[in-house]
Amino acid sequence: MTTAVYVHPVEGFGTVTVRPVEPGHDAPLLHGWVNEERARFWGMTGTTVEQVREIYAHLDSLTTHHGFLVSLDDEPVALFQTYDPRADRVSECYEALPGDIGVHVLVAPGTTRRPGWTGRLLSTLIAFSLRDHTRIVVDPDAANEKAIARMVRAGFELGPEVVLPEVDLPEVFIPEKKARLAFLTRR
């Protein structure tokens, strides 16, 4: 197993561990998560286990984009991705600055949750992201009202609604996406 890059005990919540995705090992688990209807905004519904493995193997080959498996007390609870916005299509929609980091988060289905659970997990992932960066940018699907509301509750300031352009490379295809940008600056 890959070594954790971040371990953070949260009083009354548990220990959050962030480790790089291992494409060969984690693809079956992630496949189950990204293929649920609730994950449709993640854009991977209809993929096979092998396609999920290939997507995360490609992501793993990049120096600008990273996939992480997040666990709470050793139970996988989220898929978390970070990226340098200057090396991503989002930079075509806003002025990406040095110190910016882009993130995507997908909370696993079926995890035992209690009031404040997602907020506490997100707070830990924000702390992880802002260790070496000054601002986080998120770009949830503009129709994903639940994700947008969650980001606002976490302290993000809403930015413009934009259209992220299609990416069509030999390694990956990402369709055009109508997104709502939001930003959180380290205090």
Side-chain angles (χ1 to χ4, degrees), residues 144-159:
N144 191 344
E145 294 173 2
K146 189 174 179 179
I148 294 167
R150 163 52 53 207
M151 293 302 143
V152 169
R153 284 193 307 275
F156 283 77
E157 292 182 26
L158 292 179

Side-chain angles (χ1 to χ4, degrees), residues 30-185:
L30 299 179
H31 173 262
W33 294 358
V34 301
N35 271 280
E36 287 203 352
E37 172 57 24
R38 62 181 286 285
R40 69 189 173 282
F41 295 116
W42 199 254
M44 292 176 64
T45 53
T47 56
T48 65
V49 172
E50 181 57 25
Q51 287 170 319
V52 170
R53 189 201 64 72
E54 289 173 2
I55 289 166
Y56 285 96
H58 172 70
L59 196 70
D60 194 40
S61 74
L62 303 174
T63 59
T64 56
H65 292 64
H66 307 284
F68 299 99
L69 186 67
V70 181
S71 296
L72 177 63
D73 295 332
D74 298 321
E75 176 190 352
V77 295
L79 175 58
F80 188 62
Q81 292 177 196
T82 63
Y83 61 93
D84 180 345
R86 295 171 297 174
D88 190 86
R89 66 185 180 160
V90 74
S91 67
E92 296 182 34
C93 301
Y94 90 103
E95 185 181 350
L97 302 173
D100 283 1
I101 185 170
V103 305
H104 300 288
V105 62
L106 175 66
V107 175
T111 55
T112 304
R113 297 187 189 114
R114 49 200 178 276
W117 189 96
T118 303
R120 292 179 91 178
L121 181 67
L122 186 57
S123 292
T124 302
L125 296 174
I126 288 169
F128 167 67
S129 301
L130 289 176
R131 293 175 311 157
D132 301 320
H133 297 88
T134 54
R135 184 171 67 163
I136 299 173
V137 59
V138 293
D139 59 2
D141 189 291
N144 191 344
E145 294 173 2
K146 189 174 179 179
I148 294 167
R150 163 52 53 207
M151 293 302 143
V152 169
R153 284 193 307 275
F156 283 77
E157 292 182 26
L158 292 179
E161 196 169 280
V162 299
V163 176
L164 300 177
E166 171 183 289
V167 174
D168 192 4
L169 302 171
E171 307 85 21
V172 66
F173 173 77
I174 306 171
E176 181 179 273
K177 173 180 148 183
K178 190 175 189 181
R180 181 68 186 260
L181 298 183
F183 304 90
L184 180 68
T185 302

